[in-house]
Amino acid sequence: MKFLDALLGRVKPAPSKTDALFSISTAQVTLATKLDILPAGKAGICFKIVQSTSFERLKSDLEELLELGKKETSTEFRMVKDAFGYLWIVLSDAEFEDLVTTLHLVSETLIENGFGGQLLSSVFRFERAAGTARAAGEAVVYFIYNYKKGRFYPFVPLKGKGRARDEQYEMKLGSLLERELPVEKEVENWYPMWGVPV
């Protein structure tokens, strides 16, 4: 039956997984203490835009929800549409826990309103402390959470090298954090996110 459904294009996307998102909170302590990699106070969530009235209503509700949250946590936000037709909600907050909680709230709101299949990823920006960045590398380190898989993976773009990344360092980070984070096992699924607005 599954084969027939796939053949006829009736395959439903895998449900989004949000619970594992919170594991980044404990992993960030390890990143800070063992590698001098610190939260940069920025994160974002990315989802596909749907041309529908209900989606527009949801977008408006999300803005209202984030404005209310801003009063409680001082989490700043902005919405950015990228070249691929995805909408980003980019957050700024010095408190890492507030970033994680807000991204979880946004993702749960999308799922509850029937748009869980539109969720792509959440991205957390970290920076290597001054003096620890390798000469050839970039100080920025991203941890990307894939909602379809419910897993994280690191992404380290190289500064001034076009679309090049530090794959060796990414492997090191993935290995170091696999006890604390659900790390994507298939390295070929560690998709780069170039030009991320976070």
Side-chain angles (χ1 to χ4, degrees):
M1 188 65 174
K2 285 183 181 178
F3 174 74
L4 186 59
D5 285 342
L7 193 63
L8 297 173
R10 295 188 304 216
V11 176
K12 292 182 180 177
S16 298
K17 301 168 185 173
T18 61
D19 293 346
L21 196 61
F22 287 108
S23 58
I24 193 73
S25 296
T26 52
Q28 66 101 11
V29 175
T30 300
L31 285 166
T33 56
K34 292 191 175 177
L35 292 170
D36 284 330
I37 296 175
L38 309 171
K42 294 184 183 301
I45 185 168
C46 174
F47 49 95
K48 191 153 183 62
I49 296 170
V50 178
Q51 300 301 325
S52 73
T53 321
S54 54
F55 183 81
E56 286 304 315
R57 196 179 311 115
L58 173 63
K59 186 181 162 191
S60 177
D61 289 346
L62 279 171
E63 286 188 73
E64 194 176 322
L65 187 66
L66 290 164
E67 283 292 351
L68 286 170
K70 191 163 119 176
K71 292 174 185 171
E72 291 289 318
T73 64
S74 301
T75 305
E76 295 288 336
F77 75 93
R78 62 190 172 93
M79 292 192 175
V80 180
K81 184 179 175 182
D82 70 16
F84 301 103
Y86 285 89
L87 183 67
W88 285 83
I89 296 177
V90 181
L91 308 175
S92 300
D93 195 317
E95 292 293 327
F96 190 75
E97 293 298 325
D98 290 345
L99 293 173
V100 178
T101 304
T102 304
L103 289 182
H104 185 263
L105 177 65
V106 171
S107 58
E108 284 295 304
T109 303
L110 282 159
I111 291 167
E112 286 166 12
N113 284 275
F115 293 102
Q118 309 309 117
L119 277 167
L120 179 64
S121 60
S122 274
V123 178
F124 296 88
R125 181 183 175 124
F126 290 82
E127 292 176 358
R128 296 187 229 187
T132 62
R134 301 186 333 187
E138 167 64 85
V140 176
V141 174
Y142 294 106
F143 275 89
I144 300 171
Y145 181 74
N146 180 326
Y147 281 96
K148 303 297 184 272
K149 298 280 194 114
R151 296 187 178 279
F152 283 91
Y153 62 92
F155 172 50
V156 184
L158 288 170
K159 184 178 183 179
K161 303 260 186 183
R163 292 197 162 196
R165 60 200 284 194
D166 192 339
E167 294 180 43
Q168 186 178 357
Y169 195 61
E170 289 173 359
M171 295 291 286
K172 178 182 177 181
L173 292 172
S175 176
L176 179 71
L177 295 172
E178 63 186 357
R179 289 186 178 180
E180 296 174 42
L181 277 181
V183 175
E184 172 58 56
K185 305 284 186 207
E186 317 252 338
V187 180
E188 60 270 23
N189 291 331
W190 291 17
Y191 302 112
M193 294 189 81
W194 304 109
V196 59
V198 175

